[in-house]
Short mmCIF file of all heavy atoms in Angstrom, two decimals:
data_model
loop_
_atom_site.label_atom_id
_atom_site.label_comp_id
_atom_site.label_asym_id
_atom_site.label_seq_id
_atom_site.Cartn_x
_atom_site.Cartn_y
_atom_site.Cartn_z
N ASP A 75 101.96 234.84 -136.03
CA ASP A 75 102.35 234.53 -137.40
C ASP A 75 103.83 234.77 -137.63
O ASP A 75 104.49 234.11 -138.46
CB ASP A 75 101.55 235.39 -138.40
CG ASP A 75 100.14 234.91 -138.57
OD1 ASP A 75 99.84 233.78 -138.19
OD2 ASP A 75 99.30 235.70 -139.07
N LEU A 76 104.43 235.71 -136.86
CA LEU A 76 105.82 236.05 -137.04
C LEU A 76 106.77 234.93 -136.64
O LEU A 76 107.87 234.83 -137.15
CB LEU A 76 106.17 237.31 -136.23
CG LEU A 76 105.44 238.60 -136.59
CD1 LEU A 76 105.80 239.73 -135.64
CD2 LEU A 76 105.76 239.02 -138.03
N VAL A 77 106.31 234.07 -135.72
CA VAL A 77 107.16 232.97 -135.25
C VAL A 77 106.63 231.60 -135.68
O VAL A 77 107.17 230.58 -135.30
CB VAL A 77 107.30 232.99 -133.70
CG1 VAL A 77 107.98 234.28 -133.25
CG2 VAL A 77 105.95 232.84 -133.02
N ALA A 78 105.55 231.60 -136.46
CA ALA A 78 104.89 230.34 -136.83
C ALA A 78 105.82 229.41 -137.62
O ALA A 78 105.88 228.20 -137.37
CB ALA A 78 103.63 230.62 -137.63
N LEU A 79 106.57 229.97 -138.57
CA LEU A 79 107.43 229.15 -139.41
C LEU A 79 108.54 228.50 -138.56
O LEU A 79 108.82 227.29 -138.68
CB LEU A 79 108.06 229.99 -140.53
CG LEU A 79 109.01 229.23 -141.48
CD1 LEU A 79 108.29 228.08 -142.14
CD2 LEU A 79 109.57 230.20 -142.53
N GLN A 80 109.16 229.28 -137.71
CA GLN A 80 110.23 228.77 -136.85
C GLN A 80 109.68 227.69 -135.91
O GLN A 80 110.32 226.66 -135.69
CB GLN A 80 110.86 229.91 -136.03
CG GLN A 80 112.04 229.50 -135.17
CD GLN A 80 112.57 230.63 -134.32
OE1 GLN A 80 112.07 231.75 -134.38
NE2 GLN A 80 113.58 230.37 -133.53
N ALA A 81 108.49 227.93 -135.35
CA ALA A 81 107.88 226.94 -134.47
C ALA A 81 107.54 225.66 -135.20
O ALA A 81 107.75 224.56 -134.69
CB ALA A 81 106.64 227.55 -133.82
N THR A 82 107.02 225.80 -136.43
CA THR A 82 106.67 224.62 -137.23
C THR A 82 107.89 223.78 -137.55
O THR A 82 107.84 222.54 -137.48
CB THR A 82 105.99 225.06 -138.53
OG1 THR A 82 104.80 225.79 -138.22
CG2 THR A 82 105.64 223.85 -139.41
N ARG A 83 109.01 224.43 -137.85
CA ARG A 83 110.23 223.71 -138.16
C ARG A 83 110.71 222.89 -136.98
O ARG A 83 111.36 221.85 -137.14
CB ARG A 83 111.30 224.68 -138.62
CG ARG A 83 111.13 225.26 -140.01
CD ARG A 83 112.13 226.35 -140.33
NE ARG A 83 112.01 226.80 -141.70
CZ ARG A 83 112.61 227.89 -142.17
NH1 ARG A 83 113.40 228.62 -141.36
NH2 ARG A 83 112.47 228.22 -143.43
N LYS A 84 110.43 223.35 -135.78
CA LYS A 84 110.85 222.65 -134.56
C LYS A 84 109.77 221.70 -134.02
O LYS A 84 109.97 221.03 -133.03
CB LYS A 84 111.24 223.66 -133.49
CG LYS A 84 112.38 224.58 -133.90
CD LYS A 84 112.76 225.56 -132.81
CE LYS A 84 113.52 224.90 -131.69
NZ LYS A 84 114.06 225.89 -130.72
N GLY A 85 108.63 221.67 -134.71
CA GLY A 85 107.53 220.80 -134.28
C GLY A 85 106.84 221.28 -133.01
O GLY A 85 106.25 220.48 -132.29
N LEU A 86 106.85 222.58 -132.77
CA LEU A 86 106.21 223.13 -131.56
C LEU A 86 104.75 223.51 -131.83
O LEU A 86 104.42 223.92 -132.93
CB LEU A 86 106.99 224.36 -131.08
CG LEU A 86 108.46 224.20 -130.79
CD1 LEU A 86 109.06 225.55 -130.37
CD2 LEU A 86 108.69 223.19 -129.67
N LEU A 88 101.81 226.17 -131.21
CA LEU A 88 101.56 227.57 -130.86
C LEU A 88 100.11 227.73 -130.51
O LEU A 88 99.22 227.20 -131.19
CB LEU A 88 101.90 228.49 -132.03
CG LEU A 88 103.37 228.79 -132.33
CD1 LEU A 88 103.48 229.73 -133.54
CD2 LEU A 88 104.08 229.40 -131.12
N LEU A 115 107.88 235.90 -127.68
CA LEU A 115 107.57 234.68 -128.42
C LEU A 115 108.79 234.14 -129.13
O LEU A 115 109.05 232.94 -129.16
CB LEU A 115 106.45 234.94 -129.44
CG LEU A 115 105.05 235.10 -128.88
CD1 LEU A 115 104.11 235.62 -129.96
CD2 LEU A 115 104.55 233.78 -128.33
N SER A 116 109.58 235.05 -129.72
CA SER A 116 110.78 234.64 -130.41
C SER A 116 111.78 233.94 -129.46
O SER A 116 112.34 232.89 -129.78
CB SER A 116 111.45 235.87 -131.06
OG SER A 116 112.66 235.48 -131.72
N ASN A 117 111.93 234.51 -128.27
CA ASN A 117 112.81 233.88 -127.27
C ASN A 117 112.24 232.54 -126.84
O ASN A 117 112.97 231.56 -126.69
CB ASN A 117 112.92 234.78 -126.03
CG ASN A 117 114.09 235.74 -126.15
OD1 ASN A 117 114.82 235.73 -127.11
ND2 ASN A 117 114.26 236.57 -125.14
N ALA A 118 110.92 232.47 -126.62
CA ALA A 118 110.30 231.22 -126.19
C ALA A 118 110.50 230.11 -127.21
O ALA A 118 110.87 228.99 -126.86
CB ALA A 118 108.82 231.45 -125.94
N VAL A 119 110.30 230.42 -128.47
CA VAL A 119 110.49 229.43 -129.54
C VAL A 119 111.97 229.04 -129.65
O VAL A 119 112.33 227.89 -129.82
CB VAL A 119 109.97 229.98 -130.88
CG1 VAL A 119 110.35 229.02 -132.03
CG2 VAL A 119 108.45 230.14 -130.84
N LYS A 120 112.84 230.06 -129.52
CA LYS A 120 114.29 229.81 -129.64
C LYS A 120 114.77 228.80 -128.59
O LYS A 120 115.59 227.91 -128.88
CB LYS A 120 115.05 231.11 -129.50
CG LYS A 120 116.55 230.98 -129.64
CD LYS A 120 117.28 232.24 -129.22
CE LYS A 120 116.89 233.45 -130.06
NZ LYS A 120 117.68 234.65 -129.68
N PHE A 121 114.30 228.93 -127.36
CA PHE A 121 114.80 228.13 -126.26
C PHE A 121 113.91 226.94 -125.92
O PHE A 121 114.05 226.32 -124.86
CB PHE A 121 114.99 228.99 -125.01
CG PHE A 121 116.02 230.07 -125.18
CD1 PHE A 121 115.66 231.41 -125.19
CD2 PHE A 121 117.35 229.73 -125.38
CE1 PHE A 121 116.60 232.41 -125.35
CE2 PHE A 121 118.33 230.72 -125.54
CZ PHE A 121 117.97 232.06 -125.54
#
Side-chain angles (χ1 to χ4, degrees):
D75 285 343
L76 298 176
V77 297
L79 180 58
Q80 183 183 0
T82 299
R83 287 173 175 169
K84 300 180 75 171
L86 303 177
L88 283 180
L115 286 169
S116 179
N117 270 359
V119 171
K120 182 191 299 184
F121 296 114

